[in-house]
Amino acid sequence: MFNSSPLTAAQAAEEVKTGAAAQPAAGAGARPRHVAIIMDGNGRWAKARGLPRLAGHRRGAETVRRIVEAAPDLGVEWLTLYAFSTENWKRSTEEVTGLMELFAIYIRREGRELKRRGARVRFIGERGRLAPDLATAMARLEADTAGNDKLNLTIAINYGGRDEIAAAARRLAEDVAAGLLDPACVDAAALESRLATHGFPDPDLVIRTSGEMRTSNFLPWQTAYSEFAFVDDYWPDFSVERFGEALASFGARQRRFGAVG
Ligand code: FPP
């Protein structure tokens, strides 16, 4: 599935085990600093086993825990996870409620551990439609981990990339209307500074599991120059080893950002 790479999956897995520093060995390719993941395939994982869809999401939450734990040892400084899109409200009430409960459980069970491990947790997405208890728990975890810098973990809940860009455009328009901004100064940097991800480095690598090859409104502005890795595993089956392979595939690529190589 992935290009051949100077860093093998076995080496990557070994680094996770040993906690070896993220420095690539001489001659090895670069590591992505910011990895964004579209966690897809929970429903199909469950269906293949004759289980309810929520069972797939529960297993998916375990994968989240493993990948978050492994990320810093693999040199990943920023990890952004697509947990719930603005379109996911179209699912059954049972599934939506179950997912919201899972997010609350994750925060409750993992929050302290994330803090202890030095993760700074942030959430992006529109919070107005979330249950007040969940929104409060999210804000509390953000505040509790605000001083951490070992891993920047961002979880996208009720996130839609087009909505995010539209909201940024609205803020620009408001600032222009209020006389705070000259229309001639509306450029990419001005818009970026009004995105939810302002100040984040753009994702170097986007991984999507489950064999689907689309981006589904995930960080459309921020991924303009990202590399993509599409992995066949359903998200509950996505292992640290496969994560290492995806990171290694990135090291084999040449990024030109529009320039001649
Ligand atoms: C997409 O798979 C997955 C989701 C919409 C939910 C993602 C949620 C988790 C991984 C659970 C926990 C997350 C956190 C942050 C604790 P799908 O259900 O659309 O799969 P399908 O395409 O096979 O139906």
Side-chain angles (χ1 to χ4, degrees), residues 58-133:
R58 271 186 221 110
R59 284 296 282 261
E62 289 172 27
T63 306
V64 169
R65 189 172 42 73
R66 284 196 305 273
I67 296 302
V68 167
E69 202 177 307
D73 292 334
L74 290 170
V76 175
E77 295 169 40
W78 294 76
L79 182 67
T80 302
L81 303 176
Y82 203 8
F84 193 91
S85 77
T86 46
E87 285 69 39
N88 287 151
W89 296 104
K90 293 178 201 152
R91 298 184 176 205
S92 71
T93 309
E94 185 192 3
E95 183 169 351
V96 169
T97 308
L99 276 167
M100 295 297 157
E101 275 171 15
L102 263 185
F103 302 146
I105 290 169
Y106 180 78
I107 292 172
R108 203 164 53 235
R109 290 203 186 141
E110 301 295 322
R112 195 186 311 226
E113 184 62 12
L114 287 165
K115 187 176 176 189
R116 195 187 67 75
R117 287 175 174 272
R120 176 171 187 177
V121 184
R122 279 177 275 219
F123 296 92
I124 55 171
E126 180 48 53
R127 299 183 195 198
R129 201 169 165 183
L130 304 180
D133 282 0

Side-chain angles (χ1 to χ4, degrees), residues 1 13 88 111 117 137 147 165 182 204 217:
M1 174 100 219
N88 287 151
R117 287 175 174 272
I165 293 170
D182 181 344
D204 300 295
N217 206 13

Side-chain angles (χ1 to χ4, degrees), residues 39-44 53 57 61 83 88 91 99 103 106 235:
M39 308 181 287
D40 196 13
N42 293 348
R44 277 164 287 164
R53 293 179 58 81
H57 295 314
N88 287 151
R91 298 184 176 205
L99 276 167
F103 302 146
Y106 180 78
W235 176 250

